[in-house]
């Protein structure tokens, strides 16, 4: 067999992803990524803490971020993403901006994004200022997300949470859908599903069709914003953030 006729592999550009130690949805991130992109995922060190405000603080410490970025240097990514919602909103808007600065500084100046910052970019792209939030968190962690959004001028019209402190990765789509209906009863323009460890990829198109509004998720906005930093777009049909036809279908009539 003459493999010289195959021509590949495709040239790759990399996105470095810093994720919490308990992150379990590597495959979900890849589903938004075009063929010419490789994800280089590293995790923060393990700490014996359940999902909580304390955990969010531990996994977002600047020293931890710098150590994680150093582990990615050899593969030379073109952009960095911190894939965690709670870890990036726990310090408020100023804390989120400081995290991006730390990621960029530790990498020698690469563009960087966090999940919470990516959410704000996505809302601006959609022209949305009133949202419902759905989280797997306890009430105190959800309160912190709502406060972060309030500080940047985003109104939360409805909310629902599962009260979980572990095994978020195992929540089924049906439970997410039921919670989405509860959260969106207050006149929201869009729904945000928080937590990078909550599966959402296949649920987004179905929820948009049922709710008639854009549905954003933590992993979706993170990949969208990270790829934006390198001039690329994610893949994902029937998702308003990505697909112009889906966006047109969720506009008010």
């Amino acid at each position: 067999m003459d493999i010289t006729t195959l021509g590949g592999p495709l040239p790759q550009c990399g996105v470095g992803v810093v994720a919490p130690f308990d992150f379990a949805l590597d495959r979900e991130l890849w589903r938004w990524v075009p063929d010419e992109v490789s994800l280089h995922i590293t995790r923060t060190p393990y700490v014996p803490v359940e999902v909580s405000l304390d955990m969010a603080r531990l996994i977002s410490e600047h020293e931890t971020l710098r150590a994680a970025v150093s582990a990615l240097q050899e593969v030379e990514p073109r952009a960095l993403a911190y894939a965690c919602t709670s870890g990036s909103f726990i310090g408020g808007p100023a804390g989120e901006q400081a995290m991006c600065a730390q990621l960029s500084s530790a990498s020698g100046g690469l563009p960087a994004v966090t999940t919470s910052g990516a959410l704000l970019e996505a809302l601006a792209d959609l022209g949305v200022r009133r949202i419902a939030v759905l989280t797997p968190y306890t009430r105190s962690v959800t309160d912190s997300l709502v406060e972060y959004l309030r500080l940047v001028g985003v109104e939360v019209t409805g909310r629902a949470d599962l009260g979980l402190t572990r095994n978020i990765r195992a929540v089924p789509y049906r439970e997410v859908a039921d919670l989405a209906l509860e959260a969106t009863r207050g006149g929201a323009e869009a729904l945000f599903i928080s937590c990078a460890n909550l599966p959402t990829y296949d649920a987004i198109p179905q929820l948009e069709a049922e709710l008639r509004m854009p549905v954003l998720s933590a992993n979706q906005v993170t990949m969208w914003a990270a790829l934006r930093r390198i001039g690329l777009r994610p893949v994902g049909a029937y998702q308003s953030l990505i697909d112009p036809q889906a966006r047109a279908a969720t506009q008010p009539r």
Side-chain angles (χ1 to χ4, degrees):
M1 179 180 179
D2 182 6
I3 63 170
T4 61
T5 62
L6 298 180
L10 290 173
Q12 294 288 294
C13 55
V15 172
V17 179
V18 177
F21 64 89
D22 67 338
F23 181 67
L25 301 184
D26 303 56
R27 174 169 163 71
E28 177 155 295
L29 291 184
W30 279 95
R31 295 180 74 181
W32 277 289
V33 175
D35 289 343
E36 67 269 30
V37 174
S38 285
L39 297 182
H40 309 299
I41 303 175
T42 189
R43 283 166 171 75
T44 61
Y46 171 75
V47 288
V49 179
E50 295 180 330
V51 177
S52 61
L53 293 174
D54 286 340
M55 177 178 162
R57 294 185 184 98
L58 286 169
I59 60 177
S60 61
E61 292 176 343
H62 288 183
E63 184 177 339
T64 298
L65 298 180
R66 297 186 72 88
V69 171
S70 69
L72 295 168
Q73 295 291 68
E74 182 63 26
V75 294
E76 299 181 338
R78 289 178 51 194
L80 296 172
Y82 177 72
C84 178
T85 321
S86 62
S88 55
F89 67 60
I90 189 65
E96 188 277 329
Q97 292 167 17
M99 290 182 72
C100 286
Q102 283 293 321
L103 291 166
S104 185
S105 172
S107 64
L110 290 178
V113 66
T114 73
T115 300
S116 295
L119 169 61
L120 301 186
E121 286 185 32
L123 293 176
D125 193 71
L126 291 165
V128 166
R129 302 302 295 177
R130 299 169 63 248
I131 69 169
V133 296
L134 182 167
T135 88
Y137 313 134
T138 60
R139 179 172 295 274
S140 61
V141 181
T142 305
D143 287 344
S144 187
L145 170 59
V146 172
E147 176 63 9
Y148 170 81
L149 292 168
R150 184 191 69 80
L151 290 171
V152 295
V154 176
E155 180 186 354
V156 175
T157 63
R159 52 183 280 180
D161 52 62
L162 286 166
L164 299 178
T165 59
R166 59 175 66 247
N167 295 325
I168 291 170
R169 63 185 179 272
V171 174
Y173 286 144
R174 183 67 262 165
E175 198 161 350
V176 171
D178 290 344
L179 216 60
L181 294 174
E182 177 185 336
T184 54
R185 289 174 182 155
E189 297 172 309
L191 170 68
F192 174 57
I193 305 174
S194 190
C195 190
N197 231 4
L198 187 64
T200 58
Y201 186 92
D202 295 304
I204 291 172
Q206 296 296 326
L207 286 172
E208 289 197 339
E210 186 167 352
L211 299 173
R212 307 296 296 176
M213 68 176 64
V215 174
L216 305 174
S217 78
N219 287 328
Q220 178 206 47
V221 298
T222 303
M223 287 295 94
W224 172 82
L227 291 168
R228 216 179 184 198
R229 299 298 189 277
I230 57 176
L232 297 174
R233 291 186 60 82
V235 294
Y238 310 111
Q239 299 178 29
S240 292
L241 183 62
I242 299 167
D243 182 345
Q245 289 186 323
R247 185 175 300 198
T250 58
Q251 294 300 309
R253 301 185 186 280

